[in-house]
Amino acid sequence: MIPLADIQPASDWQSQLRDAVNCGEELLARLQLTPEQTGFSSAACQSFALKVPHSFVARMRPGDPADPLLRQVLGHRLELLPTRGYSDDPVGETGDAITHPGIIQKYSGRALLILSGGCAINCRYCFRRHFPYSENRNSRQQWHDALQHIAADASITEVILSGGDPLLVSDRQLATLVEQLADIPHLKRLRVHSRMPIVLPARVTGGLLASLTSTRLQPVMVVHSNHGNEINGEVSLALHKLLDANIPVLNQAVLLAGINDSEDALADLSETLFAAGVLPYYLHLLDKVRGAAHFDVPEEKGVTLISQLERRLPGYLVPRLVREEAGEPAKVRIRG
Ligand SMILES: *Cc1c(COP(=O)(O)O)cnc(C)c1O
Ligand code: SF4
């Protein structure tokens, strides 16, 4: 019998992905904005392409050059300025941490698998914007090697599917991989780090839910949303599908100047996430990647914001402020 997926047309999320906006002028025209109002630079998009699904564009406010969602994706001329202390690999992911192509093992018990080089959206502040994905792409052989490596290391109890965005792979590829992982006896948990449930909620398909829940591995999903405006009804519905399938959902955000670096924005993000069933997990200080200096928020301001949140919100709605540092045994917790 031919599996259903073979005779079906490309699924909705795949066509939405293909149709993503990749032209700054088009994006601005849709929002009734001009390059001058926003600092848009097409040159900035030559080294890191502009890419944003229509679903995410629909959540931007037309006519607002400071829209927090627009700012996350629009190439800006400030990206081109030289900045001291910003590098192409700020978190040390291309050096010793790579023991095998496609695997990053920095922390005890956890192995991060790079499933896909791309993302459904290109976030301008991303620390992987210069990552040499082509050298870490998963050929069939690499896959096999990565799985063998995990099978041979009994200290690994949790596999984190990451990228890029791991949910760019098809449901069928994902199901196969998860089944293979479930055959490795020392693995307990399967974590997925994906921004797709937020930026392209149609990605949360029945097939995805099935592949994450039909083995003995305990699933957990960590999504990535930086601003309450990212969560609309469509996203909330997708998040509830994950929750209804008994997949806990946590959020990581990045603290970004001009986007969420205020007490109100962060409190609203936590409240909005929780209303959609999601708990805040990490608030990351920006990784110092070349081209992202204009998003940086000083550490002291981050600490102040967190203490303001602690005074205002229940403890479970306050994310942990962390920084990623090469060579450290865990993400470094920042406290006042
Ligand atoms: C962030 C990260 C993890 C997960 O860390 P947790 O603190 O468990 O969320 C694992 N591996 C790598 C390489 C990471 O960057
Ligand atoms: S979705 Fe995540 S990995 Fe992809 S560009 Fe955005 S921040 Fe980077």
Side-chain angles (χ1 to χ4, degrees):
M1 206 176 80
I2 303 169
L4 262 184
D6 280 341
I7 49 174
Q8 277 174 347
S11 59
D12 182 37
W13 71 268
Q14 285 165 324
S15 7
Q16 288 192 40
L17 193 64
R18 225 184 5 251
D19 294 344
V21 179
N22 53 21
C23 164
E25 286 82 4
E26 178 194 338
L27 175 60
L28 291 175
R30 261 192 67 177
L31 298 169
Q32 297 141 38
L33 291 166
T34 63
E36 295 69 40
Q37 280 173 298
T38 52
F40 169 65
S41 157
S42 55
C45 300
Q46 313 250 288
S47 64
F48 185 52
L50 184 147
K51 181 175 182 183
V52 52
H54 285 279
S55 157
F56 197 75
V57 176
R59 296 169 236 163
M60 297 175 184
R61 289 182 300 239
D64 181 1
D67 180 86
L69 277 55
L70 175 65
R71 282 198 165 166
Q72 293 180 53
V73 301
L74 189 72
H76 199 284
R77 52 183 138 72
L78 291 174
E79 290 176 31
L80 302 168
L81 296 180
T83 40
R84 205 191 300 258
Y86 284 73
S87 77
D88 283 3
D89 178 26
V91 297
E93 286 203 338
T94 48
D96 297 343
I98 294 191
T99 50
H100 272 72
I103 301 190
I104 301 175
Q105 225 176 324
K106 287 208 302 200
Y107 303 144
S108 133
R110 288 147 287 173
L112 191 144
L113 271 187
I114 296 183
L115 235 64
S116 136
C119 288
I121 188 167
N122 282 345
C123 312
R124 306 314 298 181
Y125 53 85
C126 182
F127 73 91
R128 294 201 169 111
R129 54 183 287 161
H130 310 290
F131 196 70
Y133 281 117
S134 52
E135 295 161 27
N136 279 278
R137 219 186 322 255
N138 43 309
S139 67
R140 200 169 279 269
Q141 182 58 39
Q142 255 182 27
W143 244 170
H144 181 73
D145 292 352
L147 285 165
Q148 282 215 317
H149 172 77
I150 294 167
D153 183 347
S155 76
I156 303 173
T157 53
E158 177 168 331
V159 166
I160 303 172
L161 306 184
S162 184
D165 201 306
L167 296 186
L168 278 186
V169 306
S170 71
D171 286 345
R172 208 140 40 106
Q173 286 175 300
L174 189 68
T176 306
L177 173 67
V178 176
E179 276 160 29
Q180 288 170 326
L181 288 169
D183 284 340
I184 300 175
H186 47 265
L187 291 184
K188 296 178 183 159
R189 288 179 299 278
L190 173 72
R191 190 188 328 181
V192 178
H193 279 184
S194 172
R195 205 172 180 199
M196 282 182 86
I198 304 292
V199 301
L200 197 77
R203 179 65 190 93
V204 182
T205 58
L208 171 65
L209 300 173
S211 64
L212 296 181
T213 54
S214 50
T215 72
R216 64 175 187 85
L217 296 175
Q218 195 178 357
V220 49
M221 172 77 69
V222 182
V223 297
H224 170 180
S225 171
N226 300 313
H227 194 279
N229 291 4
E230 291 172 35
I231 319 286
N232 64 359
E234 190 193 5
V235 174
S236 175
L237 210 67
L239 295 169
H240 275 108
K241 283 187 194 165
L242 293 163
L243 298 167
D244 289 346
N246 288 323
I247 303 169
V249 187
L250 306 171
N251 182 64
Q252 46 186 345
V254 182
L255 184 57
L256 297 165
I259 292 168
N260 60 10
D261 59 337
S262 72
E263 180 190 340
D264 284 348
L266 290 174
D268 179 65
L269 175 61
S270 280
E271 296 267 12
T272 309
L273 285 167
F274 191 67
V278 179
L279 282 171
Y281 179 35
Y282 281 141
L283 178 63
H284 294 266
L285 289 174
L286 185 80
D287 296 308
K288 299 206 179 299
V289 64
R290 184 166 53 85
H294 54 295
F295 288 118
D296 191 45
V297 177
E299 185 171 313
E300 314 77 65
K301 182 166 180 191
V303 169
T304 305
L305 287 166
I306 290 295
S307 50
Q308 287 167 337
L309 291 182
E310 280 167 343
R311 277 195 290 268
R312 176 161 163 178
L313 295 174
Y316 60 89
L317 291 188
V318 181
R320 296 180 209 182
L321 184 66
V322 290
R323 179 167 14 89
E324 185 89 31
E325 258 178 53
E328 290 295 323
K331 305 211 191 290
V332 180
R333 188 107 183 237
I334 315 290
R335 299 168 202 268

